[in-house]
Amino acid sequence: WAQDCQVANIKVIFDFWTWYAVGKKDPEGLFLLDNVIAQINIEEDGRMTATAQGRVIILNNWEMCAHMFATFEDTADPAKFKMRYWGAANYLQTGNDDHWVIDTDYDNYAVHYSCRQVDSDGTCLDGYSFIFSRHPTGLRPEDQLAVYQKKLELCLLGKYRRVAHTGGL
Ligand code: ODT
């Protein structure tokens, strides 16, 4: 470890930096397509909130940039949250999903998981998962093994697609 006594350099777990979605396993009724970025915020009262944006297609073929908001509720497990979300416009999706942080080093990558419907055998029938990076260009080579391992443990290996960041939103 290394000590750095500069107050400005003290690392906190949550911050206002951007996370770029670089991989996604889609749920049924796919919503966010690409150019997906998310920001986790801590409000003055200590509550965690988030904003996200991404390209969506609604009403069959209307393409737009969705601006989304979310609030989080704690559960007994500190890495498992409930996420209530809604859009800046009322024709965007709303919902209340699980929001599980499977793995993160905070600085480079994060693996998110949400099962919307658990099957009778206890496996996930419908869910989605995001791979986030701090880098719009994707995961660093040194983070790829950890992310691969988590995809495997989540039984989602091979189910992800790449999320492009083409800008222009
Ligand atoms: O794209 C889909 O099909 C499913 C995704 C629906 C949830 C999107 C709502 C995002 C609300 C704002 C929140 C941000 C937080 C981010 C961190 C992880 C992404 C779920």
Side-chain angles (χ1 to χ4, degrees):
W1 54 271
Q3 212 177 19
D4 179 347
C5 302
Q6 293 297 303
V7 174
N9 294 342
I10 292 175
K11 291 223 176 80
V12 292
I13 288 184
F14 297 106
D15 53 59
F16 302 84
W17 300 347
T18 297
W19 285 108
Y20 298 87
V22 295
K24 183 169 179 246
K25 187 273 174 197
D26 291 316
E28 283 169 33
L30 159 68
F31 181 56
L32 292 167
L33 296 169
D34 51 34
N35 291 285
V36 180
I37 63 174
Q39 257 189 336
I40 303 289
N41 308 307
I42 301 297
E43 304 296 327
E44 275 166 25
D45 63 4
R47 285 173 188 258
M48 182 166 89
T49 64
T51 58
Q53 50 181 285
R55 192 173 67 93
V56 298
I57 292 175
I58 51 171
L59 309 174
N60 293 323
N61 54 16
W62 185 22
E63 181 188 316
M64 64 173 294
C65 176
H67 289 267
M68 305 296 294
F69 307 98
T71 57
F72 296 86
E73 234 173 86
D74 293 333
T75 70
D77 186 321
K80 294 181 178 176
F81 301 88
K82 290 297 283 187
M83 179 183 77
R84 190 176 294 282
Y85 70 94
W86 64 95
N90 61 11
Y91 45 77
L92 295 168
Q93 261 189 26
T94 60
N96 192 6
D97 286 343
D98 280 348
H99 176 93
W100 292 6
V101 182
I102 301 299
D103 190 19
T104 183
D105 72 345
Y106 304 108
D107 288 331
N108 297 288
Y109 74 92
V111 178
H112 150 278
Y113 176 82
S114 177
C115 184
R116 281 180 168 163
Q117 202 187 344
V118 179
D119 207 348
S120 52
D121 67 359
T123 64
C124 189
L125 197 58
D126 180 29
Y128 61 100
S129 170
F130 279 101
I131 308 299
F132 288 105
S133 175
R134 293 294 194 189
H135 317 281
T137 45
L139 292 177
R140 301 180 313 161
E142 55 267 55
D143 300 324
Q144 281 167 8
L145 183 61
V147 170
Y148 173 91
Q149 187 66 36
K150 291 303 165 188
K151 288 177 172 179
L152 184 70
E153 288 172 21
L154 291 168
C155 303
L156 290 178
L157 201 59
K159 304 264 173 76
Y160 291 81
R161 62 181 174 84
R162 194 175 291 274
V163 177
H165 285 273
T166 52
L169 272 172

